[in-house]
Amino acid sequence: MSHHQPQSGPYGEQPGPYGNAGGQPQAPNPYAGQPGYGYPAAPGPQAQPAPPAQPGGYGHPAPQQQPNPYAQGGGYGQPAPQQPQPNPNPYAQPGAPYGAGQQGPYGQGPYGQTQPGGYPGAPLPQGAPGGDNRPGKQRMAIIVSAVVAIALIVGGGVWFATKGGDDGDSEAKKKDPGTSQGTTGGEEGEGGVKKRPKPKLVGGNLVSKVPMPRVKEQANSPGLWATDKVWAKGQIDKIVGYPVSGGSSAQYEIPLGGELCWGSTQITKEGMTAVVFQDGKPTAENKYPDCSEVGLVDLNNGKLVWQRSIKEADEKLEFDEVTIGGGTIAAGGLDGGAAWSMKGDKLWSPQANEECSDYGYGGGPKLVAVRGCGEYGEARMSVQLINPKDGNILSEYKLTDGLDDVHVVSTDPMVIGVDAGDSTGASVSDFMTIDPSQRKGKLVSKIATGNGKFTAECQTNEVESCSKVVIAKDKLFMATEERSGSSDTLPQNEVVAYSLTTGKTVGKTDGVPTSSITPMQLDEDGYLIAYQDTTYREGGAVWQIDPNTYEKAKLMQNATATAETESNYSLGHEVFLWANKKLYMGDIYATEPRDYQRGEDLLAMVFGPN
């Protein structure tokens, strides 16, 4: 669209606190092991020869030796310390401008994760909304799970974990008392998170399931949503709704004109969501119809409210994904971006011969565009906070040249993910917090995924597709990779919290000895919801984590009898969401029958108390 013009100015702004034009030096992510953008990493003591390093930072080599993963390095432009300090306190961040006077949490994220004022019981997790199997302008997600054996240590080889029971109380790690981290009691805790009593553990049984459709070859089936009235699943060329109380009998079916290409990652408080689907059924002449149709779906009432497309020179434009942000439905792709009001009125569309294109949008309380100028693969990328009513740019942050894989994780606060040298297949090497309060956006902090030390991942070339990372009002949560070997006492991994303001660690929650835990989403009260993987002895489990004290408590333990079926699903590959005190799990593809299948072959399943 013509009003999206590239702005002048340098790429890659130096970080600084919100509202501080000059900025203060920010310490880099302690897992990154390098001082920041534009400076070479300082060698550590007794560096050992290493194989060729993966690219580190933006265009700079990574250090040749493994740093202390929790040691704080120098600020941006400062060399990292060359000698580790004995037994440092990883959470002592004196003077960090953190946490005071914050409002309620922002549950920004895919699959309807509740925003402030959203409908009750509808927070939905970070998850993959699905892909497009078309040739040509293909947007296939490249999801390669990296199994990296790591041992997180502090100082002289002490495990960064403690022994404790499954209730998690003795394992909680709090920020140093010298900061504002933690709660002081009362009905409402820090950051507007409502304090609540420790929950009662319930047993999770398979209360609803959707059989895998019979197909001869893989077909897209993205979309998994839940409101307080219904839960729904995309199924090839239709959306099927089921009673929220349980059972597998369909409450309604919404037929679509073609196969689903994308299920929106957002849902309104009225239960509205958006989808992209093909403009017809496959034929012998056209096996892969275009993903050109954008539809608004009323989940509560089981209706396709409207369907829209954009024509240019008598051909329909294709869209790769769609979202809802600030009350606007916005779809993007290689052909550019378009948007409609909730009533279906067109707000903007791509302009002919336009150099720049909106590849996609991040939705939620605000609308953020990922904009590329120039040929795809070599485009100059930027992220723009835009007016959802007319598409005009409110703020723009230009990214370093060479970055063409950009993801929007949250729009308020604005957090993006970029791939600047990840070699694990996770498609994200850094998360960046952007301050959009000025016309030229400012980089506030950078948090690295450690090239496999953390499990967060995004789908290649898809804007709103990150999973295993959760954004709260002022924090980012990720899980560490599962450690190799086995132990009856030490946790398999941890969930680590970072300050979005400083980019430093501010707390962590130990997992459990039996399997790893991974953050999914925030719930309606701002508590972090995490999933514990299945084992050969028991089903998975759902945990809540207090975002201020980092204390965890188990909400639901799934049944052993269905553990084999449950193990077919993996957070990040399939969609997980916690709503209505139930765990919803859905595949994004309908697949042909397998020669070997563990348990039942299901497209979706729901665990909850009977």
Side-chain angles (χ1 to χ4, degrees):
M1 50 189 174
S2 59
H3 45 260
H4 272 306
Q5 297 298 328
Q7 304 295 317
S8 61
Y11 287 74
E13 301 292 336
Q14 289 296 324
Y18 285 89
N20 186 342
Q24 298 295 326
Q26 303 295 327
N29 169 31
Y31 283 91
Q34 56 194 35
Y37 298 107
Y39 290 86
Q46 300 179 348
Q48 300 297 320
Q54 299 296 333
Y58 286 83
H60 294 276
Q64 292 186 332
Q65 50 96 34
Q66 176 63 45
N68 173 2
Y70 282 89
Q72 299 298 335
Y76 286 90
Q78 300 291 330
Q82 298 188 9
Q83 296 294 333
Q85 299 299 317
N87 299 323
N89 175 3
Y91 300 125
Q93 312 293 346
Y98 186 82
Q102 301 292 351
Q103 299 301 313
Y106 287 80
Q108 170 70 20
Y111 283 90
Q113 190 154 316
T114 300
Q115 307 302 332
Y119 63 88
L124 307 173
Q126 310 283 346
D132 180 0
N133 291 326
R134 296 170 290 146
K137 293 178 181 176
Q138 194 172 20
R139 288 291 186 93
M140 288 297 294
I142 303 173
I143 308 176
V144 181
S145 297
V147 182
V148 182
I150 62 169
L152 300 180
I153 58 173
V154 168
V158 179
W159 283 100
F160 193 73
T162 58
K163 180 178 178 181
D166 275 354
D167 62 3
D169 288 344
S170 62
E171 300 175 13
K173 293 294 176 287
K174 303 179 178 61
K175 190 179 176 184
D176 188 271
T179 71
S180 58
Q181 184 63 35
T183 60
T184 56
E187 193 172 279
E188 189 169 280
E190 183 184 340
V193 177
K194 183 180 179 181
K195 294 296 293 180
R196 61 191 185 195
K198 184 176 178 179
K200 180 181 179 181
L201 176 64
V202 299
N205 300 298
L206 188 58
V207 297
S208 185
K209 60 184 180 180
V210 178
M212 184 66 70
R214 294 182 175 273
V215 294
K216 293 183 180 179
E217 60 181 29
Q218 181 173 283
N220 286 325
S221 292
L224 178 65
W225 307 273
T227 75
D228 55 354
K229 297 178 180 178
V230 68
W231 74 275
K233 180 72 185 80
Q235 300 184 33
I236 305 179
D237 58 359
K238 61 186 175 181
I239 297 172
V240 183
Y242 300 90
V244 74
S245 57
S248 300
S249 298
Q251 186 167 310
Y252 63 72
E253 288 191 6
I254 305 173
L256 303 172
E259 185 175 304
L260 277 162
C261 305
W262 186 271
S264 173
T265 61
Q266 302 295 337
I267 187 171
T268 71
K269 62 182 179 181
E270 296 83 12
M272 301 288 185
T273 192
V275 294
V276 175
F277 54 95
Q278 294 176 348
D279 64 350
K281 300 295 179 67
T283 64
E285 295 76 20
N286 187 13
K287 189 175 181 180
Y288 299 100
D290 292 340
C291 291
S292 60
E293 309 304 301
V294 175
L296 179 67
V297 177
D298 182 345
L299 294 169
N300 285 335
N301 297 301
K303 296 179 180 179
L304 180 62
V305 180
W306 52 254
Q307 174 181 339
R308 299 287 187 269
S309 61
I310 299 290
K311 274 192 175 182
E312 186 177 280
D314 296 327
E315 289 190 6
K316 290 183 177 180
L317 300 183
E318 295 189 69
F319 298 106
D320 296 306
E321 53 189 281
V322 66
T323 193
I324 303 177
T328 289
I329 293 87
L334 294 183
D335 287 345
W340 297 264
S341 70
M342 295 299 290
K343 294 181 179 180
D345 299 325
K346 187 174 71 173
L347 301 177
W348 67 81
S349 62
Q351 303 299 307
N353 302 318
E354 194 174 18
E355 181 192 6
C356 303
S357 296
D358 287 352
Y359 293 159
Y361 301 90
K366 298 183 179 180
L367 189 62
V368 172
V370 171
R371 186 82 163 158
C373 297
E375 185 177 349
Y376 181 75
E378 299 178 356
R380 305 181 305 278
M381 303 297 296
S382 65
V383 287
Q384 302 170 342
L385 177 65
I386 59 178
N387 185 330
K389 302 306 178 185
D390 55 22
N392 287 329
I393 301 171
L394 302 176
S395 178
E396 180 178 40
Y397 178 77
K398 293 186 175 183
L399 292 158
T400 304
D401 286 343
L403 294 177
D404 57 6
D405 201 358
V406 182
H407 318 277
V408 177
V409 187
S410 170
T411 61
D412 192 3
M414 187 189 292
V415 180
I416 63 172
V418 298
D419 186 357
D422 170 71
S423 64
T424 66
S427 187
V428 59
S429 60
D430 299 270
F431 292 107
M432 301 164 65
T433 303
I434 308 298
D435 174 11
S437 62
Q438 302 296 322
R439 178 74 177 183
K440 183 190 293 185
K442 181 187 296 294
L443 177 63
V444 177
S445 66
K446 174 177 70 80
I447 300 168
T449 61
N451 208 16
K453 292 184 178 68
F454 289 99
T455 62
E457 60 185 57
C458 307
Q459 293 192 35
T460 302
N461 297 333
E462 294 181 355
V463 170
E464 203 171 42
S465 65
C466 296
S467 62
K468 303 182 183 179
V469 56
V470 176
I471 307 298
K473 173 68 176 178
D474 49 10
K475 299 174 192 173
L476 178 148
F477 294 89
M478 292 188 292
T480 61
E481 180 62 87
E482 185 173 332
R483 282 187 275 275
S484 61
S486 61
S487 171
D488 294 331
T489 58
L490 294 173
Q492 291 295 303
N493 75 332
E494 292 82 31
V495 174
V496 181
Y498 282 87
S499 165
L500 293 179
T501 304
T502 66
K504 299 178 181 180
T505 54
V506 291
K508 66 100 179 179
T509 301
D510 288 340
V512 297
T514 54
S515 60
S516 61
I517 63 174
T518 307
M520 289 171 48
Q521 64 182 80
L522 298 180
D523 69 9
E524 66 274 13
D525 291 332
Y527 280 73
L528 183 66
I529 300 299
Y531 176 73
Q532 176 188 324
D533 292 336
T534 59
T535 69
Y536 66 91
R537 290 178 293 184
E538 61 181 1
V542 178
W543 293 80
Q544 74 170 27
I545 298 174
D546 188 309
N548 295 317
T549 67
Y550 310 110
E551 294 177 353
K552 74 178 187 292
K554 189 183 288 188
L555 298 174
M556 188 168 72
Q557 174 62 58
N558 290 345
T560 301
T562 52
E564 198 169 43
T565 298
E566 186 181 355
S567 69
N568 292 323
Y569 281 65
S570 173
L571 180 59
H573 292 253
E574 288 78 32
V575 182
F576 285 49
L577 66 90
W578 175 257
N580 307 311
K581 298 183 179 180
K582 295 181 177 69
L583 175 65
Y584 299 82
M585 308 168 74
D587 206 330
I588 61 175
Y589 300 108
T591 55
E592 60 269 29
R594 300 178 175 90
D595 293 335
Y596 171 75
Q597 176 65 41
R598 297 175 298 177
E600 294 186 81
D601 191 13
L602 301 176
L603 183 66
M605 52 187 167
V606 183
F607 289 92
N610 283 339

